[in-house]
Amino acid sequence: GINAEYMGANSKYVGGCAYKADFQLHTRGSYHTSAQWVYARYDAFNDKDTRWPPLLNESLILHHPRIVCVKPPLLNSSAECKNGDNEGRWVAASPYVWTPLHCHYPPLPPHRIKKCFAGRRLLFAGDSQMRATFIATLTRLYKTMHVREQTLPLFGMHDDTRFQLEGVTLDFIVDQYLMRTAELLATRFGRQNIFKSLRFQLSKWAAIHFDQKWPAAQPYDFIVICVGQHFASQTHWTFADYQTLIQGFLLLAQGQEIVWMTTPAMPPRNDVWVRDKRDWRNNHRFQLMNAWTRPLLAGRRVVDYFAFTYPMLWTSRDLAHFHTFPQDAVVDVLLHTICTPF
């Protein structure tokens, strides 16, 4: 059928006015193609140039040539997926379903979810992307834990919050730069010297990270983390500062079960809000950040938030966050990642 698979191609500059976009189709069908020229001269990726990068958003393909995939490669997805960063694609099915290429996520029935989360304490720490996943996860657990439909309590957009469901504790803290969670881990594991050194190295940013002090250094079975976008927005961290923070944080997190969610994609925008903040957020930058971070997470649980969202930029209602079926797929994989032995 038309557009049997929905995917984003990774483009590379190869010189002159030429770019190369690599992609592999895995589903038989007929496909439309489109390409946008987003940023002029890739200025958006230069850490040392503080000028506003021109955002063009010009279409490069006007007639949308059709590609027909007649004989896709054979895939063996019989094995159960063990982590949340397995290569996959979106397949058209009411409306789209995230489908791994070389494994599968079996359905998690309610009784298995209840058993997995029974008595556990989870902390979700990060930015507004983390908050969106926290709300979606909380909603899913509400539906699982309660026989009758329940109304989810409201909480402030920028507030820390705690929910307790049938013995399960779910905390969310606003921690765009990971320093609050880093301090929590340093206190719990007696690594204050590492934290003090990290904070000193990043002292030019530290003042904005400690507005709220909750929670105290308490134990969590899992800490789910999603950060990255704010490093490239108004504060404009350099890539070197980002590397310093992540390396220091992972030292502090030794002995703590974490689920690392890669920085998700963001629809390109050039409105007053991002121009006033000289917003540097763009998907190429996030790809570089995620690619650098991934080897440091060997042996850790990882959910590839970017892979879910990059092909689905058009579904974001506010040009920033993802809900509906992309977020549902993220929660599915997050629950599997937590509940499957690793």
Side-chain angles (χ1 to χ4, degrees):
I2 298 294
N3 293 333
E5 183 177 336
Y6 207 101
M7 64 180 300
N10 294 320
S11 61
K12 296 181 179 179
Y13 177 63
V14 295
C17 292
Y19 293 82
K20 180 182 179 181
D22 295 322
F23 61 93
Q24 171 68 61
L25 299 174
H26 299 90
T27 307
R28 183 177 179 177
S30 179
Y31 296 83
H32 292 297
T33 58
S34 63
Q36 297 292 119
W37 185 9
V38 181
Y39 291 102
R41 302 183 304 281
Y42 276 79
D43 286 347
F45 315 141
N46 187 346
D47 275 346
K48 298 180 181 179
D49 188 344
T50 58
R51 296 174 299 171
W52 163 247
L55 189 147
L56 303 177
N57 256 4
E58 296 178 359
S59 178
L60 293 179
I61 300 178
L62 300 179
H63 300 292
H64 300 285
R66 182 171 294 179
I67 296 175
V68 178
C69 179
V70 178
K71 192 176 180 180
L74 295 176
L75 300 174
N76 182 359
S77 59
S78 59
E80 183 176 344
C81 297
K82 297 298 183 183
N83 207 347
D85 60 346
N86 300 283
E87 185 181 5
R89 80 282 196 201
W90 287 101
V91 176
S94 66
Y96 293 96
V97 175
W98 176 257
T99 308
L101 297 180
H102 305 296
C103 59
H104 71 282
Y105 293 104
L108 274 179
H111 74 272
R112 185 178 170 190
I113 296 176
K114 289 181 180 180
K115 182 178 179 180
C116 168
F117 282 87
R120 282 183 161 176
R121 298 167 58 86
L122 283 82
L123 172 65
F124 291 72
D127 53 25
S128 58
Q129 303 289 349
M130 182 78 275
R131 183 181 66 242
T133 300
F134 171 75
I135 294 173
T137 304
L138 183 62
T139 302
R140 182 75 61 86
L141 292 179
Y142 249 67
K143 293 178 180 179
T144 301
M145 301 292 184
H146 294 290
V147 177
R148 295 185 300 274
E149 184 174 348
Q150 299 286 322
T151 300
L152 186 64
L154 299 177
F155 63 97
M157 181 179 296
H158 300 291
D159 292 342
D160 296 341
T161 190
R162 166 172 290 171
F163 286 93
Q164 292 182 311
L165 306 171
E166 305 294 328
V168 181
T169 299
L170 298 173
D171 292 343
F172 169 76
I173 63 170
V174 180
D175 193 15
Q176 300 98 321
Y177 306 98
L178 271 186
M179 296 295 279
R180 296 180 64 202
T181 310
E183 186 179 29
L184 180 154
L185 292 170
T187 304
R188 181 186 173 194
F189 293 114
R191 296 168 183 158
Q192 288 89 344
N193 288 339
I194 297 177
F195 177 73
K196 289 178 181 178
S197 174
L198 180 64
R199 189 176 182 185
F200 177 77
Q201 293 178 74
L202 301 173
S203 58
K204 59 185 174 182
W205 310 114
I208 62 175
H209 302 150
F210 295 92
D211 296 336
Q212 297 170 295
K213 287 293 183 182
W214 183 89
Q218 48 193 305
Y220 287 98
D221 295 289
F222 286 96
I223 297 179
V224 185
I225 296 163
C226 182
V227 294
Q229 293 216 355
H230 282 259
F231 299 107
S233 58
Q234 189 173 11
T235 50
H236 293 173
W237 286 46
T238 65
F239 191 68
D241 287 335
Y242 171 80
Q243 292 174 306
T244 298
L245 174 64
I246 301 305
Q247 289 171 328
F249 177 82
L250 291 176
L251 279 176
L252 293 167
Q254 290 179 2
Q256 172 66 56
E257 287 280 5
I258 66 173
V259 180
W260 187 277
M261 301 184 66
T262 62
T263 304
M266 179 178 177
R269 54 192 290 187
N270 194 18
D271 51 25
V272 173
W273 191 88
V274 296
R275 286 199 303 270
D276 287 348
K277 295 178 180 293
R278 297 187 299 113
D279 199 318
W280 282 3
R281 283 180 289 181
N282 59 80
N283 293 318
H284 185 64
R285 182 184 295 276
F286 296 151
Q287 285 177 310
L288 295 176
M289 292 165 58
N290 291 331
W292 177 86
T293 307
R294 186 60 186 91
L296 303 182
L297 299 169
R300 296 280 196 178
R301 290 172 166 85
V302 178
V303 174
D304 195 350
Y305 206 164
F306 186 92
F308 289 100
T309 53
Y310 187 45
M312 291 292 162
L313 299 177
W314 56 277
T315 68
S316 176
R317 297 170 180 173
D318 61 355
L319 295 180
H321 304 93
F322 296 89
H323 304 284
T324 65
F325 58 90
Q327 192 62 252
D328 288 339
V330 170
V331 173
D332 286 339
V333 173
L334 176 61
L335 294 180
H336 268 283
T337 302
I338 292 173
C339 295
T340 302
F342 186 68

